């Protein structure tokens, strides 16, 4: 029988904000704190330093941490509200279990664990080990990521472990590995401030990495030219020297055409290309026909602008190229990344002061979490689960027989497809809300309904958890010690400020207990997080993501250490490639030929408008954490459809009209936000909501063939004006993107 989602009284509405929170005269701010704890924001990959105020084992506010070198006390709107999750009335305070017809009811840990373990055993006995899958997330620390990788392979004995970075960093990772043999941005942000030219492609930095903007302003103060590639005139684009308003999906055509201009004008670093790279000839052969007329046609950007951007880039002496999900969330995400890297390599501007390249990591531990064995094809140290030497090394560290190590498993969306095929019957998830964040989520919902058993570990009853049989009440960022690795590659320390409330438990303790009950307790007995880290150090030794020389003490004394750090006396590596020793098999940086191809779904008469999706400054990811915080909700209460006045006129749409958006996957209604800051052929809708507001009802489940990232950034839609207006909520909002 299909399972129905359970609604719990406390969860007022499926996507409903809790405006009343925090209550007037609430818990925070009035009394002197018992202590101040230096740690980091729980949200994005910047991992800004922050000091949490603790009163009576509760987070009561925050103070800036001025000394932390990256953000020097600066925080963004989410950062200053992040502490309000801790005492939130929706917080899960004990395990709960589904009781059909009634909803969820609390149960003791012993019963919850018993039932979970007996279901795992039952399903695996009936259908085989790989029929029980695991999904994980990289808001978790390095220690938890590492332990989960080990847990899935040793205790669950399943190949099918994957993570939410599959929706985020894998195209960047795939491109970086192909080009450099290593997956990390090449520089600390400090180099940005002195670069002559900066390209920002598909990254809405002012809203998604607000504290990074400071480095760009510093560069601007030093005279840097700024080029922004985005279908929308995002806040950063408004001050840019060149804004390239690209049609979603056109990036590799743009970067290919720019490469051709570099070649035609000989704006190349021949010494670098000859000595330190391979693949140049084949790469320029692939773009030889990419003239400006063709590029204008493919990208929707005027050729003058393309030439201007290529000229600025070509003539510069120092430069920095950065991109994020705007170019990566595509069925050719890896190709887009490679076409950017080709521009960097052609000019040889990498591994030198003020010269760099970086993919801006999204989630809090999106960097570290993609290195230590969370991925379906990966082992710690960014090792390869199919490589016999790598398997042997990690098996020795783990004390198992190599033949017992499962092989490569399915990626996140492929797991959903395997549930539909009846191959996966049970699921354990932690720190991942796939019902909101995976594409084509009606298909995801059907899969959740088919599972024989689903156990979810979260701190709130997220949308996906409502389909669970058991929800285990885990811990927030401030409740467990560990490390995370920032977007720069800097390993920093997360300090526990408080213990989990009531009957909630630390995530690490839950995993260790599950492992013990599955009969592998001896391999999961870590008295402290530092013990896990020390094992991780050894497991990563010799891998491309080498943490061996990093210790808790070193991290604390230096306010972070950049990996690779292969020995205890090594200072860490803020700037990669100064030695020109790339980590590819031949030791060279690889150019990769990229032949432009269109997106997997292009517009036609039935669906003539391009639809793209992304973020707003006050909401975070699937919204579980930020849709509960009143002030963040006030800033952007519900998803709006950004549409250009000319397209609006064509459909008779006025600002605030409720618009039905239809794609081949489904339809949903959003209020129109008529703005001049978007291309005339494209609409943009943010994705942080579930239920009827979820844009992922409409997105397409097509994946990049290499990275398996979904095509979140482009599909074809049709708009229908309804005779209704959007809700009143929006009148209170000051929108970032209004001109
Ligand atoms: N406020 C906030 N900050 C966040 C997050 C959040 O949820 N909220 N999430 C964090 C995470 S996990 C991530 S991954 C990052 C994401 O950070 P970003 O990648 O900056 O965020 P997005 O809004 O997904 O996409 C960026 C831009 O891509 C543009 N775009 C769309 N299609 C295309 C295209 O085909 N080509 C190009 N060049 N651009 C395109 C969009 O207009 C958008 O402005 O943010 C992190 N920071
Ligand atoms: N259409 C569209 N869809 C997208 C995107 C897009 O741009 N457009 N972006 C994609 C991207 S880049 C990303 S990263 C994904 C993110 O997608 P998800 O990973 O599904 O998003 P989160 O909101 O981070 O979900 C994490 C869940 O983990 C819980 N959690 C947070 N911290 C902890 C912790 O420490 N312990 C435990 N136990 N639980 C915790 C939260 O409460 C939340 O319910 O979404 C993707 N989906
Ligand atoms: S920029 Fe990112 S890490 Fe810094 S305060 Fe904002 S959300 Fe937190
Ligand atoms: Mo992300």
């Amino acid at each position: 029988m299909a399972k129905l989602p359970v609604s719990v009284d406390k969860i007022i509405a499926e996507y409903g904000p809790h405006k009343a929170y925090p209550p007037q005269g609430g818990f925070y701010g009035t009394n002197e704190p018992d202590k101040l704890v230096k740690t980091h924001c729980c949200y994005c990959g910047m991992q800004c330093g922050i000091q949490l105020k603790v009163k009576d084992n509760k987070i009561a506010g925050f103070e800036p941490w001025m000394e932390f070198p990256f953000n020097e006390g600066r925080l963004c709107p989410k950062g200053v509200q992040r502490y309000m999750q801790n005492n939130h009335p929706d917080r899960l305070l004990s395990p709960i279990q589904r009781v059909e017809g009634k909803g969820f009811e609390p149960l003791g840990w012993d019963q919850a664990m018993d039932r979970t373990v007996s279901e795992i055993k039952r399903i695996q006995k009936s259908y085989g080990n790989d029929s029980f899958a695991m999904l994980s997330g990289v808001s978790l620390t390095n220690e938890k990521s590492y332990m989960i990788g080990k847990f899935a392979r040793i205790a669950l004995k399943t190949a099918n472990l994957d993570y939410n970075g599959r929706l985020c960093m894998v195209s960047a990772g795939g491109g970086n590995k192909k080009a450099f043999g290593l997956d990390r941005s090449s520089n600390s942000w400090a180099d940005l401030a002195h670069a002559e030219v900066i390209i920002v492609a598909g990254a809405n930095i002012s809203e998604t990495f607000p504290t990074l903007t400071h480095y760009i302003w510093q560069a601007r103060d030093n005279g840097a030219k700024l080029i922004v590639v985005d279908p929308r005139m995002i806040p950063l684009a408004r001050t840019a020297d060149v804004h390239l308003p690209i049609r979603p999906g056109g990036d590799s055509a743009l970067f290919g055409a720019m490469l051709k201009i570099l070649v035609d004008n000989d704006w190349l670093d021949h010494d670098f290309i000859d000595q330190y790279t391979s693949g140049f000839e084949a790469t320029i052969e692939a773009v030889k026909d990419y003239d400006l007329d063709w590029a204008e046609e493919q990208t929707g950007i005027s050729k003058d602008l393309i030439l201007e951007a290529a000229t600025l880039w070509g003539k510069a002496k120092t430069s920095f190229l950065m991109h994020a999900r705007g170019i990566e969330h595509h069925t050719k995400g890896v190709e887009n990344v490679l076409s950017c890297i080709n521009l960097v390599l052609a000019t040889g501007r990498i591994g030198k002061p003020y010269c760099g390249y970086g993919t801006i990591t999204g989630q809090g531990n999106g960097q570290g979490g993609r290195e230590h064995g969370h991925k379906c094809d990966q082992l710690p140290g960014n090792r390869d689960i199919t490589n016999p030497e790598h398997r042997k090394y990690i098996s020795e560290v783990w004390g198992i027989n190599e033949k017992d190590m499962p092989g490569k498993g399915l990626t996140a969306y492929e797991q959903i497809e395997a549930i539909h095929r009846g191959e996966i019957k049970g699921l354990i998830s932690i720190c991942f809300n796939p019902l909101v964040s995976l594409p084509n989520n009606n298909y995801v919902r059907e899969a959740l309904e088919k599972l024989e058993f689903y156990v979810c570990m979260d701190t709130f009853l997220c949308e996906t958890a409502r389909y669970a049989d058991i929800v285990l009440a885990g811990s927030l960022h401030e409740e467990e010690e560990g490390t995370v690795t920032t977007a720069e590659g800097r390993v920093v320390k997360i300090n526990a400020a408080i213990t989990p409330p009531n009957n909630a438990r630390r995530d690490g303790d839950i995993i260790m207990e599950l492992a013990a009950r599955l009969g592998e307790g001896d391999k999961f007995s870590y008295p402290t997080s530092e013990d896990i880290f020390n094992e991780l150090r050894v497991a990563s030794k010799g891998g491309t993501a080498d943490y061996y020389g990093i210790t808790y003490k070193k991290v604390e004394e230096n306010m972070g250490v950049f990996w690779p750090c292969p020995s205890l006396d090594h200072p860490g590596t803020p700037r990669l490639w100064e030695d020109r020793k790339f980590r590819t098999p031949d030791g060279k940086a690889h150019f990769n030929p990229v032949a432009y191809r269109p997106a997997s779904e292009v517009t036609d008469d039935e669906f003539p408008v391009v639809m793209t999706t992304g973020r707003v400054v006050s909401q975070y990811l699937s919204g579980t954490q930020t849709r509960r915080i009143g002030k963040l909700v006030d800033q952007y209460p519900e998803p709006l459809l950004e549409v250009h006045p000319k397209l609006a006129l064509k459909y008779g749409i006025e600002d605030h009209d409720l618009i039905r958006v239809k794609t081949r996957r489904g339809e949903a209604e959003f209020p129109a936000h008529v703005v001049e800051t978007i291309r005339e052929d494209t609409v943009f809708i943010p994705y942080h909501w579930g239920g009827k507001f979820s844009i992922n009802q409409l997105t397409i489940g097509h994946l990049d063939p290499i990275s398996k990232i979904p095509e979140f950034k482009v599909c074809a839609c049709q708009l229908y004006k309804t005779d209704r207006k959007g809700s009143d909520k929006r009148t209170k909002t000051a929108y970032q993107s209004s001109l």
Side-chain angles (χ1 to χ4, degrees), residues 164 431 433 437 458 475 507 613 615 621-622 624 687 696 713:
N164 62 5
C431 198
N433 190 6
S437 49
D458 207 304
S475 53
D507 294 329
T613 66
R615 294 159 166 76
L621 299 179
S622 72
T624 314
Y687 97 97
N696 279 327
K713 289 293 187 271

Side-chain angles (χ1 to χ4, degrees), residues 290-299 301 303 306:
Y290 290 13
D291 61 30
L292 282 169
D293 290 323
W294 175 86
E296 180 173 290
E297 172 94 350
Q298 302 305 325
T299 62
I301 306 169
K303 50 189 169 190
I306 300 176

Side-chain angles (χ1 to χ4, degrees), residues 412-426:
Y413 193 75
E414 289 171 327
Q415 285 194 13
I416 302 295
E417 293 170 332
I419 297 172
H420 275 278
R421 291 195 302 271
E423 291 162 21
I424 290 177
K425 302 280 190 185

Side-chain angles (χ1 to χ4, degrees), residues 191 285 447 663:
D191 274 324
E285 176 67 20
T663 69

Side-chain angles (χ1 to χ4, degrees), residues 465-485:
R466 284 168 226 175
Y467 288 80
D469 297 281
I470 289 194
V471 186
L472 302 175
S475 53
L476 286 170
H477 202 257
E478 54 266 39
E479 293 165 359
E480 191 162 4
E481 187 184 29
T483 58
V484 298
T485 308

Side-chain angles (χ1 to χ4, degrees), residues 44-45 78 167-169 201-205 207-210 229-232 234 246-251 324-327 329-330 360-363 612-621 684 687-688 713-714:
C44 86
K78 290 182 305 307
L167 316 181
C168 187
M169 296 314 301
N204 181 7
I205 292 181
E207 296 205 59
T208 53
F209 308 104
V229 188
D230 200 296
R232 301 185 301 149
I234 49 173
I246 194 155
R247 186 183 303 120
D251 296 278
R325 303 313 81 74
I327 73 156
H329 276 159
H330 293 272
I360 317 175
T361 296
Q363 294 144 296
T612 191
T613 66
R615 294 159 166 76
V616 296
V617 68
S618 67
Q619 292 299 324
Y620 190 65
L621 299 179
F684 172 91
Y687 97 97
H688 311 284
K713 289 293 187 271
V714 48

